[in-house]
Amino acid sequence: MNKTTDWPFLVWFASVSAAAGVLFAFWFSGTSTYRLVHEGLAGAWNNILLPQFRDPGNFEFYFKAKRFDGEGVLQAKAGVSDGAIVYSDASGPTAYLINNRGELLHHWHVPFRTVWPEPAHIEFPVPDNQVIFRKALLQHGGALLVLFEAPGHWPYAYGLAKINRDSEVLWTYAQQAHHDVLLTPDGDIITLLHETRPLPIEGLDDYAGHTIIDDVIVVLDHTGREKKRVSIIDAILNSRYPGLLYADGQSKDALHTNSVDWVTSAVASALPMLKTGQILVSMKAKSALGVVDLERGELVWAHRGGWRQQHAARFLGGRRIGLFDNEGHIGEGGYSRIVEFDALTGAQLWSFGGHADLEIESRWRGSYQAFDNGNRLITESDAGRLLELSKDNEVVWEYVAPSEVEDKSPAVFWARRYSWNELKALNFAPSQSN
């Protein structure tokens, strides 16, 4: 090749190569191989590299900009319920017991690697400063059932353990347990697991990718031994509600189930379509609730209402179900609200979304608890705030979780008030200073 043809040839060769590269990239981007490589690279960055140097204080799953002046108890009025509150937040793997003055009565703390020094059930676990208690359920003698979670990581479900009042580990369940845990009347434990399943699955032909995330209801005995597991995807496919599995933009986390509750005999008496021992589940990705029969492996009831991306669905007595509606409020106030409805008719019975001077805003998480006196405790998770409302919707108690990160509040993942009588029945009696 002579010097007069070198540059034209190189230009021609570069142009053809670039065009071929573009055509190859266009073809490759539409293939399953591309999606697999893309998912692999994204997973390596988000799950292996980024967590090693990420500061939880600068990550929105853990801390958000403060919306309120002050912290601790901001309001305490006549009419607040008695007892003490157990809550956990983004400050670490710690649960706190506080009274109505915000005074610390007790706390539990145990790092993830103290429980699992070599966590074989989690690939590439994040550093301990990024693992928290998602939920802490009080048991007899001050023991806790604790769900470990790493928000923003995948998998974020890090396991279930039981610790005593001195934070000593009693037993562990090394599975990807997540979001919620409850006790049945006979002492069994119900929780949720993540399970990654390969596609295709018969009946799910509109999901893209190679895998899908299923949520599994698991029954454990009081020692943490597994007794039963039921796939919620399979329960839906076995039901008359297969339309719930329409992809609707969700290509991986098909359901994002985030709460479980037990159908008691009283609930079953009020709702003839249900039976004692069935499980109410909240499926956030579908903005739907359902009830699963564990023996039949079938979704026997499902319902959608005017809520979006909800959490913490609970039976409240009679035909009433309540939930934290994360994104369904369109009136004055914030974009979140609490909703209670009639499970038989679907009629809304009560809701509270705040007002111009009291916005309720939590997109990611949230819960609430209804009391016999008509009061309700709201966990506004993203704001790091707890509110107790009277039956007339007046705020009688307000608490903002203390923060060690300047100008930011830790997300409060879950809270529950225990009356002094409940604490006494659990043989756990911290100071009753109220």
Side-chain angles (χ1 to χ4, degrees):
M1 189 182 304
N2 60 46
K3 292 183 178 180
T4 61
T5 58
D6 272 356
W7 282 109
F9 174 79
L10 291 175
V11 170
W12 173 85
F13 182 79
S15 300
V16 171
S17 299
V22 169
L23 290 173
F24 176 77
F26 181 78
W27 167 82
F28 183 59
S29 67
T31 67
S32 60
T33 302
Y34 169 81
R35 290 195 296 271
L36 183 63
V37 171
H38 182 270
E39 289 176 8
L41 292 174
W45 170 251
N46 289 311
N47 295 328
I48 301 173
L49 299 175
L50 185 61
Q52 303 310 313
F53 53 83
R54 180 174 62 197
D55 179 1
N58 292 323
F59 194 50
E60 66 176 0
F61 281 101
Y62 294 85
F63 290 85
K64 286 184 177 289
K66 281 189 174 181
R67 289 171 44 203
F68 317 106
D69 294 328
E71 57 186 32
V73 175
L74 304 186
Q75 297 185 63
K77 301 178 181 178
V80 64
S81 303
D82 76 337
I85 290 175
V86 175
Y87 78 89
S88 58
D89 66 23
S91 60
T94 306
Y96 307 92
L97 180 73
I98 62 170
N99 63 16
N100 284 344
R101 291 201 293 268
E103 296 166 338
L104 183 64
L105 305 181
H106 193 81
H107 80 282
W108 301 257
H109 175 85
V110 57
F112 173 68
R113 282 176 177 78
T114 298
V115 183
W116 290 285
E118 298 181 2
H121 63 296
I122 302 294
E123 291 185 352
F124 308 111
V126 299
D128 273 7
N129 70 337
Q130 298 175 38
V131 186
I132 52 82
F133 291 167
R134 174 59 186 247
K135 185 169 183 178
L137 187 62
L138 190 59
Q139 293 200 283
H140 194 266
L144 283 185
L145 288 173
V146 290
L147 280 170
F148 287 85
E149 183 174 297
H153 184 239
W154 181 258
Y156 55 80
Y158 267 43
L160 173 68
K162 183 176 181 178
I163 61 177
N164 66 16
R165 66 176 295 150
D166 298 317
S167 301
E168 298 168 331
V169 179
L170 301 177
W171 55 255
T172 65
Y173 181 61
Q175 297 287 332
Q176 290 177 13
H178 66 92
H179 273 96
D180 203 1
V181 59
L182 67 88
L183 295 176
T184 71
D186 60 2
D188 281 343
I189 299 163
I190 307 288
T191 191
L192 294 161
L193 296 186
H194 278 145
E195 183 177 278
T196 302
R197 296 174 58 171
L199 289 170
I201 298 173
E202 185 176 356
L204 273 70
D205 55 2
D206 56 348
Y207 280 82
H210 293 265
T211 60
I212 197 170
I213 300 163
D214 191 4
D215 290 314
V216 178
I217 300 172
V218 175
V219 183
L220 310 174
D221 70 13
H222 70 282
T223 67
R225 181 180 62 87
E226 188 174 312
K227 297 173 63 175
K228 191 176 188 64
R229 60 169 60 197
V230 174
S231 156
I232 300 180
I233 283 181
D234 288 344
I236 294 172
L237 291 173
N238 292 338
S239 77
R240 64 181 189 274
Y241 304 103
L244 273 176
L245 290 175
Y246 172 67
D248 197 24
Q250 286 281 347
S251 61
K252 295 287 283 185
D253 198 353
L255 302 173
H256 199 95
T257 309
N258 56 35
S259 70
V260 288
D261 200 16
W262 180 261
V263 177
T264 65
S265 57
V267 168
S269 296
L271 297 171
M273 70 282 199
L274 305 183
K275 293 182 179 179
T276 304
Q278 294 172 334
I279 303 297
L280 173 70
V281 295
S282 164
M283 297 170 281
K284 175 180 179 287
K286 305 304 181 185
S287 293
L289 308 183
V291 171
V292 176
D293 187 295
L294 298 181
E295 298 305 317
R296 291 155 50 187
E298 178 186 347
L299 188 77
V300 297
W301 176 83
H303 184 71
R304 278 196 180 111
W307 54 79
R308 294 185 63 224
Q309 307 290 293
Q310 78 290 334
H311 282 75
R314 296 285 183 262
F315 292 113
L316 302 179
R319 293 162 26 180
R320 206 174 190 102
I321 291 178
L323 54 85
F324 189 100
D325 178 9
N326 291 74
E327 297 184 10
H329 188 223
I330 58 176
E332 184 182 52
Y335 46 69
S336 303
R337 62 178 180 160
I338 311 302
V339 174
E340 297 178 4
F341 72 97
D342 186 316
L344 197 59
T345 67
Q348 183 173 295
L349 303 174
W350 175 84
S351 72
F352 182 79
H355 43 73
D357 298 322
L358 180 66
E359 295 182 336
I360 307 296
E361 296 188 355
S362 184
R363 289 189 186 275
W364 295 104
R365 296 158 289 259
S367 67
Y368 96 114
Q369 178 186 2
F371 306 127
D372 291 340
N373 64 0
N375 286 13
R376 297 167 174 93
L377 179 69
I378 298 172
T379 303
E380 189 185 2
S381 296
D382 292 355
R385 179 167 67 165
L386 307 179
L387 292 170
E388 184 169 335
L389 300 180
S390 72
K391 61 183 178 181
D392 299 319
N393 294 345
E394 178 190 2
V395 176
V396 294
W397 190 76
E398 181 179 15
Y399 177 85
V400 174
S403 177
E404 295 181 358
V405 180
E406 186 177 0
D407 297 326
K408 292 186 178 182
S409 294
V412 175
F413 293 100
W414 180 84
R416 187 189 190 282
R417 182 183 288 281
Y418 293 85
S419 70
W420 298 122
N421 286 336
E422 286 180 299
L423 293 173
K424 183 177 179 180
L426 289 169
N427 191 31
F428 184 59
S431 169
Q432 294 192 12
S433 174
N434 203 37

